Amino acid sequence: MDGYTVLLLKFFDADVNYNRFNYMQKIGYRYLSEYYNNLTGKGLKDIYNNLVNKYLHANKIKQGKILEIACGTGKIIESFAGKHKTYGLDISPWMIKEARKKNGKSKYFVADMTNFKLPEKFDAIICPFDSINHLQIFSDWKKVFASVIHHLKEGGIFIFDFNTLKKFINIDGRVKLENVQGGYIVMETQREKNFCNWNILIFKKENQNIFRLFRERVRESTFPLGRVTNSLKKEFTIMKIVNLKKERIFIVCQKKPDKKMSGMVLKKDEGNF
């Protein structure tokens, strides 16, 4: 551990009181957006690529329309750009700004995933990186499902993942230090019942010995799998559920087709990717 790291940890222990924050959950990530790609792993990107491509291939869709909601910096949707028509939306203008820098082939919108209205219908809509957990009440989760239904083509597919209560329990009290380009990020997690707070300090290096401090808080909530699937079944057919170490659940579901439509080729699948 180098000298800078020791200094940062001492500052974190001595000077942080997150009760002083006036944080607006819906438009967060103002400062974290610059480093977001460094904090998200490659594993989820591969999972979503495999799931979406499997569906498109099964339905012989060579150039589909794919929307990522709560897209952040567009790390996942950009992997489909070029081959497919790709779109992303996020409520954070700072995230969308970063996404547009990284990927000029996709169309991006600043919009709320609980109530978005786009002039398009999509073959697939995805919501990765436990983004839906950011919504604090379950009625907002249901609003997301309703907005997705409205924007899917008949037989279109919706794929999302969310953190479980076990995940919140396992990471409660954890402090993680990330060395990122241009500084350091310290993340402390605190669980409160079915909620979990990520208290984040961003130390942006200004010169050799001086860092500018930015603070953010990300708050997530989680709900039982049964409650989620019961809500989905009103408009979707559940095609696949994968529970990774009982900490992160992936759900693949299909918009129920019109009776005149034949539906998609992809069969129900359980357990693995």
Side-chain angles (χ1 to χ4, degrees):
M1 188 178 292
D2 60 32
Y4 291 130
T5 304
V6 172
L7 242 120
L8 294 177
L9 288 176
K10 286 182 178 178
F11 187 90
F12 179 83
D13 289 339
D15 197 50
V16 177
N17 179 359
Y18 285 99
N19 292 326
R20 297 199 303 259
F21 288 1
N22 178 20
Y23 176 77
M24 294 178 65
Q25 174 72 25
K26 279 194 170 183
I27 56 170
Y29 292 96
R30 178 174 184 177
Y31 306 112
L32 197 60
S33 58
E34 182 179 345
Y35 308 101
Y36 188 74
N37 274 14
N38 300 99
L39 303 176
T40 52
K42 185 175 180 292
L44 283 189
K45 184 176 180 179
D46 292 340
I47 289 171
Y48 276 88
N49 269 269
N50 291 338
L51 291 172
V52 172
N53 286 327
K54 181 178 180 180
Y55 162 72
L56 295 177
H57 177 75
N59 286 273
K60 300 180 181 179
I61 300 172
K62 293 183 178 180
Q63 187 181 56
K65 286 186 177 181
I66 306 171
L67 170 67
E68 181 180 355
I69 59 175
C71 67
T73 56
K75 184 174 183 177
I76 291 185
I77 198 64
E78 69 178 344
S79 62
F80 297 103
K83 187 175 181 181
H84 302 284
K85 294 180 179 180
T86 50
Y87 306 77
L89 68 83
D90 199 285
I91 201 166
S92 169
W94 302 285
M95 286 291 212
I96 291 297
K97 182 180 178 180
E98 292 296 323
R100 286 172 175 157
K101 284 181 186 177
K102 294 176 172 63
N103 173 22
K105 296 180 180 179
S106 300
K107 292 182 180 180
Y108 289 103
F109 307 91
V110 177
D112 187 337
M113 65 176 166
T114 65
N115 186 28
F116 61 94
K117 295 178 182 177
L118 303 178
E120 303 280 352
K121 297 282 187 178
F122 301 93
D123 298 291
I125 297 178
I126 59 175
C127 184
F129 293 118
D130 52 89
S131 295
I132 200 166
N133 285 107
H134 288 61
L135 304 175
Q136 306 299 294
I137 55 177
F138 193 68
S139 59
D140 281 344
W141 289 42
K142 292 193 287 187
K143 289 177 183 178
V144 172
F145 303 154
S147 293
V148 168
I149 278 290
H150 180 73
H151 287 83
L152 278 175
K153 295 179 181 180
E154 294 295 336
I157 200 158
F158 176 42
I159 307 171
F160 68 102
D161 66 83
F162 65 96
N163 285 329
T164 67
L165 183 61
K166 181 179 179 182
K167 171 72 173 288
F168 290 175
I169 293 170
N170 287 347
I171 65 175
D172 182 31
R174 183 181 297 177
V175 178
K176 186 177 182 181
L177 174 69
E178 294 280 355
N179 187 342
V180 296
Q181 185 175 2
Y184 296 88
I185 295 177
V186 180
M187 295 183 285
E188 177 200 30
T189 49
Q190 295 176 330
R191 175 191 162 233
E192 302 170 5
K193 296 183 179 179
N194 67 313
F195 296 93
C196 191
N197 298 317
W198 276 258
N199 303 316
I200 303 168
L201 295 179
I202 303 165
F203 294 87
K204 189 172 184 178
K205 193 172 183 180
E206 293 197 334
N207 58 47
Q208 186 174 1
N209 296 310
I210 301 296
F211 292 83
R212 183 175 294 275
L213 172 63
F214 301 96
R215 302 174 180 177
E216 295 224 40
R217 171 181 283 176
V218 175
R219 183 171 172 86
E220 291 193 355
S221 64
T222 191
F223 300 96
L225 175 60
R227 188 175 183 185
V228 177
T229 55
N230 284 340
S231 181
L232 287 167
K233 286 176 182 177
K234 297 174 183 177
E235 299 286 354
F236 293 94
T237 300
I238 308 295
M239 306 303 295
K240 186 184 188 77
I241 297 175
V242 178
N243 195 335
L244 289 184
K245 300 179 181 178
K246 298 183 179 180
E247 290 190 346
R248 183 184 295 271
I249 295 175
F250 293 79
I251 299 180
V252 182
C253 49
Q254 177 207 1
K255 179 178 179 179
K256 290 182 179 178
D258 186 277
K259 292 180 180 179
K260 296 179 181 178
M261 304 290 290
S262 60
M264 68 180 193
V265 179
L266 189 63
K267 297 179 180 179
K268 287 189 177 181
D269 193 3
E270 294 295 336
N272 300 308
F273 297 111

